[in-house]
Amino acid sequence: MIIAEKGFLTLDVESTMHLKLGPGRYDIEHEAERHNAWYATHLELTAFLKRENLLGCKFRYKTMSVPGSNRHYEMDRIELDQKGLVILESDSDSLVVNWNNPDYKYKGKYFVVIRDFHNNGFVDVIESIGNSITPFPAKYGHRHMFYSIIAKDCRASLRYKIEVLSVQSSGLDQTVYINYDQ
């Protein structure tokens, strides 16, 4: 199926989340199967985060106002060593994620939460008891994702974007998703 420029198609598929496609050429059956599989994973990860009391939890950060503006800075977030956009070139490239918790007494678990950039759904949640982890994002089959770290006490990092330019994710790059809020 071909969707013309400025066009879009919304499909009612097995999952409760509609599949919305933008301009491009698609194998609808393949897109629907992939969407349903992703949504099943998303539901499993949502249930896991809910059991861990990490879904929608809030941490009370200490804030500092930026003089002369209406902006503020949250001083006690988890800080990642690598900030900004991470671009991975091949299927075998890993992402080394190192972080520091300002609460040096914290000894609990951390969770690396990886989400799809287009629809904000969960792709994976990786547990760690240390402050470093090395995932291989190409295995998820998404070209654009973002990740953050959250501790069991709800203290979290900011979100950072990953772009995978590998063969494994290139086929999925043909999908043009429409924002689900539209």
Side-chain angles (χ1 to χ4, degrees):
M1 166 171 272
I2 298 174
I3 301 173
E5 189 176 329
K6 297 183 183 178
F8 70 93
L9 176 66
T10 302
L11 298 172
D12 188 12
V13 291
E14 267 180 45
S15 71
T16 58
M17 185 182 288
H18 297 298
L19 174 60
K20 296 182 179 184
L21 300 172
R25 179 183 295 264
Y26 303 100
D27 175 347
I28 298 297
E29 185 176 340
H30 172 73
E31 293 294 334
E33 287 173 3
R34 193 167 58 84
H35 178 76
N36 290 333
W38 165 81
Y39 191 70
T41 301
H42 168 73
L43 289 178
E44 286 176 27
L45 295 172
T46 300
F48 171 77
L49 290 171
K50 194 171 188 175
R51 281 191 309 274
E52 295 289 332
N53 294 318
L54 295 173
L55 199 60
C57 67
K58 302 287 183 203
F59 187 86
R60 294 181 53 96
Y61 296 102
K62 294 175 189 170
T63 58
M64 178 177 77
S65 296
V66 177
S69 77
N70 60 355
R71 301 193 66 176
H72 68 279
Y73 173 73
E74 295 168 333
M75 299 179 350
D76 51 353
R77 280 193 169 274
I78 293 174
E79 286 290 322
L80 276 71
D81 288 352
Q82 185 170 357
K83 297 179 174 115
L85 172 65
V86 176
I87 298 175
L88 302 174
E89 302 272 338
S90 79
D91 292 341
S92 61
D93 283 354
S94 63
L95 170 65
V96 178
V97 182
N98 297 308
W99 61 88
N100 294 308
N101 188 336
D103 179 6
Y104 64 91
K105 294 180 184 178
Y106 179 79
K107 299 293 182 207
K109 291 181 187 176
Y110 292 97
F111 300 88
V112 178
V113 179
I114 301 173
R115 300 182 88 153
D116 179 56
F117 186 79
H118 296 289
N119 55 27
N120 207 17
F122 297 111
V123 173
D124 198 3
V125 176
I126 307 166
E127 290 184 51
S128 175
I129 55 171
N131 63 348
S132 180
I133 197 160
T134 307
F136 291 85
K139 76 177 185 179
Y140 301 120
H142 293 265
R143 187 164 195 148
H144 302 280
M145 296 171 278
F146 56 88
Y147 68 99
S148 61
I149 312 299
I150 187 166
K152 194 74 168 130
D153 65 358
C154 291
R155 184 187 307 258
S157 70
L158 296 174
R159 294 189 298 193
Y160 296 99
K161 188 175 178 189
I162 305 167
E163 185 172 357
V164 183
L165 304 176
S166 70
V167 173
Q168 203 167 1
S169 67
S170 64
L172 300 179
D173 186 47
Q174 303 306 313
T175 302
V176 179
Y177 293 104
I178 303 296
N179 187 344
Y180 283 101
D181 296 331
Q182 290 179 348

